[in-house]
Amino acid sequence: MSLRWLPSLRGSEVTDRRLYLDRRRFLATTAAGVLLSAVASTRSSRAAPLSGVVPGPFSTDEEQTPFSDVTTYNNFYELGPDKDDPAKNAGRFRVRPWSVAIEGECAKPGVIAYEDLIRPHRLEERVYRLRCVEGWSMVIPWVGMPLAKVLERFEPNSRAKFVEFTTIYAPDQLPGQRLPLLNWPYREALRMDEAMHPLTIFAVGLYGEELLPQNGAPIRLVVPWKYGFKSIKSIVSIRFREDQPVTTWSQAAPSEYGFYANVNPNVDHPRWSQAKERRIGEFFRRETLMFNGYADQVAGLYAGMDLARHY
Ligand code: MTE
């Protein structure tokens, strides 16, 4: 993603001074201070393990991107615009308690606690490719559940043609939201058939552990055949809609980021080619695959559509 019109912003400028002072005060008053500050400086700390995870379908056996890269090379503009900002600036982000509002065209709207949202579902590991629109990619062993199974419980009605997702808005916890980087809160959406597709998941973990804040804790979308910006993090609302929602990146730069955002090596971004990608950890660039390698599963969703127009 790129924000040409903004002056470049370093992580240190968005570091919250009060957080820094609070932490200093805390460390000064605890005997474990030295130990804690050592832990805090290893930025890819581990999260709580998840139990009962079973292997899920559609996993690739390609080499997995190391945990340390997956948790320190991130896009999460709410925590700053640079790749290492999210891991550094997540200290104030509270991901519990958490609830999600279910709204719009469905029979059972309401607000549901995170634990109740995920409890009825079996946790599966799905090793998916993630291809960012910027030209890099990773292979990540997500833990999650099919989005369709979650959405069905709220009984979407026949007017529900799209599903819109919204990220938490909490500028006190998310320093990037105090800056005009994007039109906050971050919004994304899928067509109903895309949302209900068996590849689409709600992820709650990776590498067998709960998501760290920088990866979109406690619950995020993963849509592996689309550019990474569709996989919205830290979701607080799900709205079933009849009309096509306006999404954050397509609003910020409509000619660069479309609603569909299907990975497509034949349709270039206006400022760069999408034919190749750099897999994090590899030296040579590799060919980008149509629909990120998931064409057998999803090409049918777009039969007859001009993908150069519906980018
Ligand atoms: N979700 C929110 N709320 N804010 C963001 O800035 N960035 C997106 C997506 N989800 C983003 C977001 C982009 S551009 C990518 S590539 C992926 O998150 C990156 O996910 P990862 O950091 O877990 O690899």
Side-chain angles (χ1 to χ4, degrees):
M1 326 299 303
S2 83
L3 299 155
R4 274 172 302 172
W5 57 90
L6 279 166
S8 101
L9 186 97
R10 305 249 40 95
S12 55
E13 290 167 28
V14 293
T15 302
D16 190 282
R17 177 139 180 92
R18 261 180 313 155
L19 171 63
Y20 171 73
L21 291 174
D22 284 350
R23 195 184 287 144
R24 284 297 296 254
R25 224 170 284 135
F26 173 67
L27 292 176
T29 56
T30 168
V34 176
L35 177 67
L36 278 178
S37 60
V39 172
S41 66
T42 56
R43 301 195 323 263
S44 82
S45 55
R46 309 296 300 208
L50 290 162
S51 57
V53 180
V54 300
F58 307 116
S59 284
T60 171
D61 55 12
E62 287 169 322
E63 193 179 332
Q64 297 173 16
T65 306
F67 181 88
S68 56
D69 290 328
V70 176
T71 56
T72 58
Y73 189 89
N74 299 105
N75 274 338
F76 197 173
Y77 277 69
E78 287 85 337
L79 292 170
D82 290 339
K83 296 289 175 270
D84 58 348
D85 284 340
K88 285 195 298 200
N89 295 331
R92 280 207 157 197
F93 184 18
R94 293 188 304 275
V95 299
R96 295 290 193 292
W98 194 271
S99 54
V100 180
I102 316 298
E103 305 167 318
E105 301 291 351
C106 64
K108 296 189 168 162
V111 176
I112 183 163
Y114 164 77
E115 288 74 15
D116 297 330
L117 186 70
I118 70 157
R119 191 177 295 125
H121 303 284
R122 198 175 56 167
L123 294 181
E124 296 174 1
E125 179 172 88
R126 307 248 189 134
V127 187
Y128 282 168
R129 294 174 212 100
L130 177 105
R131 167 61 156 86
C132 187
V133 72
E134 296 163 329
W136 51 268
S137 65
M138 298 192 188
V139 175
I140 302 178
W142 300 108
V143 177
M145 65 217 80
L147 180 63
K149 292 268 185 284
V150 178
L151 297 185
E152 274 161 12
R153 283 164 51 202
F154 306 107
E155 299 178 19
N157 63 37
S158 60
R159 286 184 300 277
K161 305 279 192 306
F162 295 89
V163 197
E164 179 185 45
F165 305 88
T166 309
T167 294
I168 187 174
Y169 181 69
D172 55 325
Q173 301 174 42
L174 302 168
Q177 285 182 337
R178 284 177 240 149
L179 305 166
L181 297 173
L182 288 169
N183 188 7
W184 310 118
Y186 195 105
R187 287 201 177 82
E188 257 310 330
L190 296 171
R191 222 169 55 186
M192 203 63 187
D193 56 348
E194 298 175 324
M196 300 310 246
H197 192 279
L199 272 172
T200 308
I201 57 168
F202 257 156
V204 297
L206 55 84
Y207 272 105
E209 299 173 2
E210 286 182 354
L211 290 176
L212 287 169
Q214 58 265 38
N215 291 105
I219 190 159
R220 68 173 291 172
L221 202 62
V222 178
V223 196
W225 72 94
K226 292 179 179 284
Y227 292 118
F229 69 87
K230 298 295 287 185
S231 291
I232 179 174
K233 297 177 167 180
S234 304
I235 294 166
V236 291
S237 104
I238 301 172
R239 177 178 283 273
F240 297 102
R241 295 181 60 144
E242 185 158 24
D243 52 326
Q244 182 174 307
V246 173
T247 56
T248 296
W249 279 104
S250 63
Q251 188 180 39
S255 62
E256 305 193 9
Y257 311 109
F259 177 83
Y260 283 94
N262 292 317
V263 174
N264 189 337
N266 310 315
V267 176
D268 289 338
H269 183 278
R271 290 182 286 130
W272 59 82
S273 162
Q274 291 292 23
K276 292 196 170 182
E277 66 199 57
R278 189 172 68 87
R279 181 70 49 88
I280 298 298
E282 290 180 357
F283 184 72
F284 293 107
R285 294 203 301 161
R286 49 166 76 209
E287 307 280 317
T288 285
L289 303 174
M290 188 66 200
F291 296 113
N292 204 22
Y294 301 97
D296 288 351
Q297 286 82 29
V298 300
L301 295 176
Y302 310 103
M305 276 177 66
D306 177 354
L307 297 179
R309 204 159 73 81
H310 297 285
Y311 53 91

